[in-house]
Amino acid sequence: MADKPTPDAWQAAASKEVKGKDLIWQTPEGIAVKPLYTAEDVTVDPGLPGFAPFTRGVRASMYAGRPWTIRQYAGFSTAEESNAFYRRNLAAGQKGLSVAFDLATHRGYDSDHPRVVGDVGKAGVAIDTVEDMKILFDGIPLDKMSVSMTMNGAVIPILAFFIVAGEEQGVDRKLLDGTIQNDILKEFMVRNTYIYPPEPSMRIISDIFGYTSREMPKFNSISISGYHMQEAGATQVQELAFTIADGREYVKYGVASGLDIDKFAGRLSFFFAIGMNFFMEIAKLRAARVLWHRVMTNLGAQDERSKMLRTHCQTSGVSLTEQDPYNNVIRTTIEAMAAMLGGTQSLHTNALDEAIALPTDFSARIARNTQIVIQEETGMCNVVDPLGGSYYIESLTQELVDKAWEIIERVDADGGMAKAVAAGWPKAMIEEAAAARQARVDRGEDVIVGVNKYRLAAEDALETLEVDNAKVREGQVARINAVKASRDEAACQAALDALREGARGSGNLLALAVDAARARATLGEISAAMEDVFGRYGTVPTPVKGVYSAPYDGDARWQQVLDGVAAVERRLGRKPRLMVAKMGQDGHDRGANVIASAFGDMGFDVVSGPLFQTPEETVVLAIESGVDVVGASSLAAGHKTLIPELIRLLREQGRNDIKVIAGGVIPPQDYDYLRDAGVQGIYGPGSNVVECAADVLRLLGHNMPPLEDAA
């Protein structure tokens, strides 16, 4: 009988086949992935599904007993339109609701507030009053439907409205089932839809823990989110580590506020992104369960349910492309399979058009049916943890556990996640990863099919959904006025005064807000009552330096841009100056930060504007800073309102010389509208940043040849 081949024999054979080529893959997480894994690489027994530390799943039967919940994240325009969309989806096989709110709502403003003119109804549903919430769930029984709500900044009024809407449907709050995101640390790191400073924000979370543990036993009081970290550029190790560290911080705050850990920890849930690194994402969900079990054991939890990490997942938005968008169906399918094989409890699949707009009924149906086909046609649900025991998966899971734990220990050394977030290093780490990723994409090292490889000669137009922002806002303002006219004003103001006093003292803020909601206080009024005591938080972005430029040493195209910047500097007597502006209430700043970092590395003088500016504030800062170009970064569909207003105001000031460019999530059919308004350069998703810089130099009068000629 022949000897059994050894790994050394395999290595010799593989090296001969590829002529000595190094087959080791260095991932962005710093993991060296080998081309072959054997039993020797598995150092930890993963155990069995349903048993600690839950590596292989939180239930013994997993999907063989019950598939994951199909939960589509949606909301747009008015409560009426969103309700109709939900009901169509539920009739077509969706099992749970996941509500997207507009940015005005997220930031605690009513739709009639002057700061939110371009945001109302654009990237989610506008909710100003209990009446809006009742319409949102009209015909959807809240004692039978699980409802997830992505809300953090205005979490108190939104949850209060939900409770009162349930009451007025005849549903006792003890029967309300679902999840509120309520994850403010992540907002301070990446998503930025915060309202109050960190300390009172953490108190709000503790108050929600206390209220829901007493009054809402079926409701998940927090969904600790790594999703937005990965969307902001975090590696999977960073997403994993910071999410677990956030969760631990919330539990510690809950215990410090007097709650029994085992009374509330079992109602915590998690939310992870699922990107295109297929096996890494599967291993990440397994590693998360191991880490959470370790963390909760160390914190003194006794109930195994308290140590069990349950998670919702959503396929990546960042992986979707504007170019050749039907490829997005394939990407979402691959990501959905990774979530399923990793053991998620519920899943949202993104629609193919979400790189540029809200999903249409057509695209949402494909996204939803992706999950239904996996559940019903593939046989994947018939085996519990089908990849359990894979040499590669088990080894990768342990690598992720170890690397994430190193970051968690650094957080510990800083005194916890709240202090680490205040120090700023987690945010900086994520922004460095985002800039490095953009450089790899721009250089073609990370392939994106249809964007930097296999690009179509011409793109077909894609029909997208557009919300009439002005019409929605007009309707919302009318409803706000009607609610205020019909309420008992004295009772409402008394409830708001009680909320202010509770904020100054130790009253439970959610309980007080429920009283205010019953009295028909608006979302903006409830938020403002707490803002009177806590204040409103704000920050100015700080771009990272040297990360984007690092891979470009010796690159001819890069050098051509550097030379162009130097030439413009000689002509102007100073560096060309770009302001990166974030107008409206959109806090997603990955794109803006990457542009600021990259242009800074290319020699531009970059002014990073504060988040949440109005066009008026942007004009003042642009003129005071003496900029040559304002780059308006748009993600949340306010571009047709905010950018033309910016240009109009610049012209009013006699500053036609300041050029305005736009970048981000802008549907191609809006390009002509923006050009007619005076926008001189538009750079959508997938734009190469080096080529964008060359184009800006041309706008500044530099005779810049096409970069291809520089090779």
PDB file of all heavy atoms in Angstrom, residues 119-142:
ATOM      1  N   ASP A 119     -33.949  66.603   3.343  1.00  0.00           N
ATOM      2  CA  ASP A 119     -33.818  65.243   3.876  1.00  0.00           C
ATOM      3  C   ASP A 119     -35.134  64.511   4.102  1.00  0.00           C
ATOM      4  O   ASP A 119     -35.132  63.287   4.259  1.00  0.00           O
ATOM      5  CB  ASP A 119     -33.066  65.293   5.222  1.00  0.00           C
ATOM      6  CG  ASP A 119     -31.631  65.764   5.081  1.00  0.00           C
ATOM      7  OD1 ASP A 119     -30.890  65.160   4.301  1.00  0.00           O
ATOM      8  OD2 ASP A 119     -31.270  66.743   5.757  1.00  0.00           O
ATOM      9  N   VAL A 120     -36.241  65.230   4.139  1.00  0.00           N
ATOM     10  CA  VAL A 120     -37.512  64.633   4.561  1.00  0.00           C
ATOM     11  C   VAL A 120     -37.962  63.553   3.578  1.00  0.00           C
ATOM     12  O   VAL A 120     -38.138  63.806   2.388  1.00  0.00           O
ATOM     13  CB  VAL A 120     -38.599  65.715   4.715  1.00  0.00           C
ATOM     14  CG1 VAL A 120     -39.942  65.071   5.068  1.00  0.00           C
ATOM     15  CG2 VAL A 120     -38.198  66.729   5.770  1.00  0.00           C
ATOM     16  N   GLY A 121     -38.114  62.327   4.077  1.00  0.00           N
ATOM     17  CA  GLY A 121     -38.631  61.221   3.280  1.00  0.00           C
ATOM     18  C   GLY A 121     -37.681  60.647   2.255  1.00  0.00           C
ATOM     19  O   GLY A 121     -38.049  59.746   1.502  1.00  0.00           O
ATOM     20  N   LYS A 122     -36.425  61.091   2.226  1.00  0.00           N
ATOM     21  CA  LYS A 122     -35.537  60.724   1.115  1.00  0.00           C
ATOM     22  C   LYS A 122     -34.835  59.380   1.317  1.00  0.00           C
ATOM     23  O   LYS A 122     -34.739  58.587   0.396  1.00  0.00           O
ATOM     24  CB  LYS A 122     -34.478  61.814   0.893  1.00  0.00           C
ATOM     25  CG  LYS A 122     -35.033  63.123   0.382  1.00  0.00           C
ATOM     26  CD  LYS A 122     -35.629  63.006  -1.011  1.00  0.00           C
ATOM     27  CE  LYS A 122     -34.578  62.952  -2.093  1.00  0.00           C
ATOM     28  NZ  LYS A 122     -35.148  63.009  -3.443  1.00  0.00           N
ATOM     29  N   ALA A 123     -34.316  59.123   2.492  1.00  0.00           N
ATOM     30  CA  ALA A 123     -33.570  57.876   2.708  1.00  0.00           C
ATOM     31  C   ALA A 123     -34.244  56.999   3.744  1.00  0.00           C
ATOM     32  O   ALA A 123     -33.620  56.126   4.340  1.00  0.00           O
ATOM     33  CB  ALA A 123     -32.132  58.201   3.126  1.00  0.00           C
ATOM     34  N   GLY A 124     -35.511  57.218   3.938  1.00  0.00           N
ATOM     35  CA  GLY A 124     -36.292  56.469   4.913  1.00  0.00           C
ATOM     36  C   GLY A 124     -37.626  57.161   5.091  1.00  0.00           C
ATOM     37  O   GLY A 124     -37.913  58.178   4.452  1.00  0.00           O
ATOM     38  N   VAL A 125     -38.439  56.643   5.974  1.00  0.00           N
ATOM     39  CA  VAL A 125     -39.778  57.188   6.176  1.00  0.00           C
ATOM     40  C   VAL A 125     -39.735  58.311   7.210  1.00  0.00           C
ATOM     41  O   VAL A 125     -39.007  58.237   8.201  1.00  0.00           O
ATOM     42  CB  VAL A 125     -40.764  56.077   6.604  1.00  0.00           C
ATOM     43  CG1 VAL A 125     -40.343  55.435   7.926  1.00  0.00           C
ATOM     44  CG2 VAL A 125     -42.179  56.605   6.699  1.00  0.00           C
ATOM     45  N   ALA A 126     -40.509  59.363   6.965  1.00  0.00           N
ATOM     46  CA  ALA A 126     -40.591  60.490   7.884  1.00  0.00           C
ATOM     47  C   ALA A 126     -41.597  60.175   8.991  1.00  0.00           C
ATOM     48  O   ALA A 126     -42.756  59.864   8.714  1.00  0.00           O
ATOM     49  CB  ALA A 126     -41.017  61.748   7.126  1.00  0.00           C
ATOM     50  N   ILE A 127     -41.147  60.257  10.240  1.00  0.00           N
ATOM     51  CA  ILE A 127     -42.018  60.010  11.393  1.00  0.00           C
ATOM     52  C   ILE A 127     -41.892  61.208  12.335  1.00  0.00           C
ATOM     53  O   ILE A 127     -40.848  61.426  12.949  1.00  0.00           O
ATOM     54  CB  ILE A 127     -41.637  58.709  12.128  1.00  0.00           C
ATOM     55  CG1 ILE A 127     -41.802  57.498  11.217  1.00  0.00           C
ATOM     56  CG2 ILE A 127     -42.476  58.556  13.402  1.00  0.00           C
ATOM     57  CD1 ILE A 127     -43.227  57.173  10.822  1.00  0.00           C
ATOM     58  N   ASP A 128     -42.979  61.979  12.443  1.00  0.00           N
ATOM     59  CA  ASP A 128     -42.986  63.163  13.298  1.00  0.00           C
ATOM     60  C   ASP A 128     -43.861  63.004  14.530  1.00  0.00           C
ATOM     61  O   ASP A 128     -43.639  63.679  15.537  1.00  0.00           O
ATOM     62  CB  ASP A 128     -43.486  64.377  12.507  1.00  0.00           C
ATOM     63  CG  ASP A 128     -42.553  64.751  11.360  1.00  0.00           C
ATOM     64  OD1 ASP A 128     -41.353  64.937  11.616  1.00  0.00           O
ATOM     65  OD2 ASP A 128     -43.025  64.846  10.215  1.00  0.00           O
ATOM     66  N   THR A 129     -44.880  62.139  14.455  1.00  0.00           N
ATOM     67  CA  THR A 129     -45.860  62.037  15.533  1.00  0.00           C
ATOM     68  C   THR A 129     -46.315  60.587  15.705  1.00  0.00           C
ATOM     69  O   THR A 129     -46.044  59.735  14.862  1.00  0.00           O
ATOM     70  CB  THR A 129     -47.108  62.888  15.216  1.00  0.00           C
ATOM     71  OG1 THR A 129     -47.770  62.323  14.079  1.00  0.00           O
ATOM     72  CG2 THR A 129     -46.746  64.339  14.933  1.00  0.00           C
ATOM     73  N   VAL A 130     -47.053  60.338  16.775  1.00  0.00           N
ATOM     74  CA  VAL A 130     -47.688  59.037  16.972  1.00  0.00           C
ATOM     75  C   VAL A 130     -48.603  58.703  15.793  1.00  0.00           C
ATOM     76  O   VAL A 130     -48.698  57.542  15.373  1.00  0.00           O
ATOM     77  CB  VAL A 130     -48.485  59.023  18.291  1.00  0.00           C
ATOM     78  CG1 VAL A 130     -49.392  57.789  18.357  1.00  0.00           C
ATOM     79  CG2 VAL A 130     -47.554  59.024  19.490  1.00  0.00           C
ATOM     80  N   GLU A 131     -49.238  59.722  15.230  1.00  0.00           N
ATOM     81  CA  GLU A 131     -50.151  59.466  14.108  1.00  0.00           C
ATOM     82  C   GLU A 131     -49.395  58.861  12.931  1.00  0.00           C
ATOM     83  O   GLU A 131     -49.902  57.960  12.252  1.00  0.00           O
ATOM     84  CB  GLU A 131     -50.854  60.756  13.687  1.00  0.00           C
ATOM     85  CG  GLU A 131     -51.660  61.426  14.787  1.00  0.00           C
ATOM     86  CD  GLU A 131     -52.636  60.473  15.464  1.00  0.00           C
ATOM     87  OE1 GLU A 131     -53.284  59.664  14.763  1.00  0.00           O
ATOM     88  OE2 GLU A 131     -52.747  60.533  16.701  1.00  0.00           O
ATOM     89  N   ASP A 132     -48.181  59.329  12.664  1.00  0.00           N
ATOM     90  CA  ASP A 132     -47.357  58.741  11.594  1.00  0.00           C
ATOM     91  C   ASP A 132     -47.063  57.276  11.898  1.00  0.00           C
ATOM     92  O   ASP A 132     -47.135  56.413  11.020  1.00  0.00           O
ATOM     93  CB  ASP A 132     -46.033  59.503  11.451  1.00  0.00           C
ATOM     94  CG  ASP A 132     -46.197  60.884  10.853  1.00  0.00           C
ATOM     95  OD1 ASP A 132     -47.154  61.092  10.089  1.00  0.00           O
ATOM     96  OD2 ASP A 132     -45.367  61.762  11.166  1.00  0.00           O
ATOM     97  N   MET A 133     -46.724  56.982  13.151  1.00  0.00           N
ATOM     98  CA  MET A 133     -46.380  55.611  13.524  1.00  0.00           C
ATOM     99  C   MET A 133     -47.599  54.699  13.401  1.00  0.00           C
ATOM    100  O   MET A 133     -47.485  53.538  12.961  1.00  0.00           O
ATOM    101  CB  MET A 133     -45.832  55.586  14.952  1.00  0.00           C
ATOM    102  CG  MET A 133     -45.194  54.270  15.357  1.00  0.00           C
ATOM    103  SD  MET A 133     -43.625  53.910  14.510  1.00  0.00           S
ATOM    104  CE  MET A 133     -42.452  54.821  15.516  1.00  0.00           C
ATOM    105  N   LYS A 134     -48.763  55.194  13.755  1.00  0.00           N
ATOM    106  CA  LYS A 134     -49.987  54.389  13.621  1.00  0.00           C
ATOM    107  C   LYS A 134     -50.273  54.076  12.154  1.00  0.00           C
ATOM    108  O   LYS A 134     -50.659  52.946  11.814  1.00  0.00           O
ATOM    109  CB  LYS A 134     -51.164  55.130  14.253  1.00  0.00           C
ATOM    110  CG  LYS A 134     -51.114  55.174  15.774  1.00  0.00           C
ATOM    111  CD  LYS A 134     -52.165  56.105  16.354  1.00  0.00           C
ATOM    112  CE  LYS A 134     -53.566  55.575  16.146  1.00  0.00           C
ATOM    113  NZ  LYS A 134     -54.580  56.466  16.779  1.00  0.00           N
ATOM    114  N   ILE A 135     -50.071  55.046  11.289  1.00  0.00           N
ATOM    115  CA  ILE A 135     -50.282  54.820   9.849  1.00  0.00           C
ATOM    116  C   ILE A 135     -49.255  53.825   9.319  1.00  0.00           C
ATOM    117  O   ILE A 135     -49.567  52.953   8.498  1.00  0.00           O
ATOM    118  CB  ILE A 135     -50.207  56.148   9.083  1.00  0.00           C
ATOM    119  CG1 ILE A 135     -51.385  57.049   9.459  1.00  0.00           C
ATOM    120  CG2 ILE A 135     -50.182  55.920   7.569  1.00  0.00           C
ATOM    121  CD1 ILE A 135     -51.236  58.493   9.001  1.00  0.00           C
ATOM    122  N   LEU A 136     -48.017  53.926   9.801  1.00  0.00           N
ATOM    123  CA  LEU A 136     -46.939  53.049   9.333  1.00  0.00           C
ATOM    124  C   LEU A 136     -47.298  51.576   9.545  1.00  0.00           C
ATOM    125  O   LEU A 136     -46.963  50.717   8.715  1.00  0.00           O
ATOM    126  CB  LEU A 136     -45.643  53.390  10.072  1.00  0.00           C
ATOM    127  CG  LEU A 136     -44.366  52.702   9.601  1.00  0.00           C
ATOM    128  CD1 LEU A 136     -43.981  53.162   8.201  1.00  0.00           C
ATOM    129  CD2 LEU A 136     -43.222  52.976  10.574  1.00  0.00           C
ATOM    130  N   PHE A 137     -47.978  51.284  10.648  1.00  0.00           N
ATOM    131  CA  PHE A 137     -48.317  49.889  10.975  1.00  0.00           C
ATOM    132  C   PHE A 137     -49.810  49.593  10.819  1.00  0.00           C
ATOM    133  O   PHE A 137     -50.302  48.606  11.374  1.00  0.00           O
ATOM    134  CB  PHE A 137     -47.847  49.568  12.395  1.00  0.00           C
ATOM    135  CG  PHE A 137     -46.358  49.642  12.553  1.00  0.00           C
ATOM    136  CD1 PHE A 137     -45.779  50.593  13.368  1.00  0.00           C
ATOM    137  CD2 PHE A 137     -45.530  48.775  11.853  1.00  0.00           C
ATOM    138  CE1 PHE A 137     -44.401  50.682  13.503  1.00  0.00           C
ATOM    139  CE2 PHE A 137     -44.149  48.855  11.978  1.00  0.00           C
ATOM    140  CZ  PHE A 137     -43.590  49.809  12.800  1.00  0.00           C
ATOM    141  N   ASP A 138     -50.497  50.420  10.072  1.00  0.00           N
ATOM    142  CA  ASP A 138     -51.921  50.185   9.846  1.00  0.00           C
ATOM    143  C   ASP A 138     -52.134  48.836   9.160  1.00  0.00           C
ATOM    144  O   ASP A 138     -51.510  48.532   8.140  1.00  0.00           O
ATOM    145  CB  ASP A 138     -52.492  51.307   8.968  1.00  0.00           C
ATOM    146  CG  ASP A 138     -53.988  51.151   8.749  1.00  0.00           C
ATOM    147  OD1 ASP A 138     -54.702  50.835   9.708  1.00  0.00           O
ATOM    148  OD2 ASP A 138     -54.437  51.337   7.593  1.00  0.00           O
ATOM    149  N   GLY A 139     -52.997  48.009   9.740  1.00  0.00           N
ATOM    150  CA  GLY A 139     -53.273  46.703   9.155  1.00  0.00           C
ATOM    151  C   GLY A 139     -52.199  45.666   9.411  1.00  0.00           C
ATOM    152  O   GLY A 139     -52.260  44.555   8.891  1.00  0.00           O
ATOM    153  N   ILE A 140     -51.194  46.021  10.211  1.00  0.00           N
ATOM    154  CA  ILE A 140     -50.103  45.099  10.563  1.00  0.00           C
ATOM    155  C   ILE A 140     -50.175  44.873  12.072  1.00  0.00           C
ATOM    156  O   ILE A 140     -49.801  45.750  12.847  1.00  0.00           O
ATOM    157  CB  ILE A 140     -48.732  45.675  10.154  1.00  0.00           C
ATOM    158  CG1 ILE A 140     -48.678  45.911   8.639  1.00  0.00           C
ATOM    159  CG2 ILE A 140     -47.606  44.742  10.594  1.00  0.00           C
ATOM    160  CD1 ILE A 140     -47.447  46.660   8.175  1.00  0.00           C
ATOM    161  N   PRO A 141     -50.694  43.741  12.513  1.00  0.00           N
ATOM    162  CA  PRO A 141     -50.906  43.533  13.951  1.00  0.00           C
ATOM    163  C   PRO A 141     -49.592  43.436  14.719  1.00  0.00           C
ATOM    164  O   PRO A 141     -48.783  42.530  14.495  1.00  0.00           O
ATOM    165  CB  PRO A 141     -51.685  42.215  14.007  1.00  0.00           C
ATOM    166  CG  PRO A 141     -51.376  41.519  12.720  1.00  0.00           C
ATOM    167  CD  PRO A 141     -51.130  42.586  11.704  1.00  0.00           C
ATOM    168  N   LEU A 142     -49.387  44.370  15.637  1.00  0.00           N
ATOM    169  CA  LEU A 142     -48.105  44.441  16.345  1.00  0.00           C
ATOM    170  C   LEU A 142     -47.952  43.377  17.417  1.00  0.00           C
ATOM    171  O   LEU A 142     -46.860  43.219  17.968  1.00  0.00           O
ATOM    172  CB  LEU A 142     -47.939  45.842  16.951  1.00  0.00           C
ATOM    173  CG  LEU A 142     -47.778  46.967  15.909  1.00  0.00           C
ATOM    174  CD1 LEU A 142     -47.672  48.325  16.595  1.00  0.00           C
ATOM    175  CD2 LEU A 142     -46.571  46.728  15.010  1.00  0.00           C
TER     176      LEU A 142
END
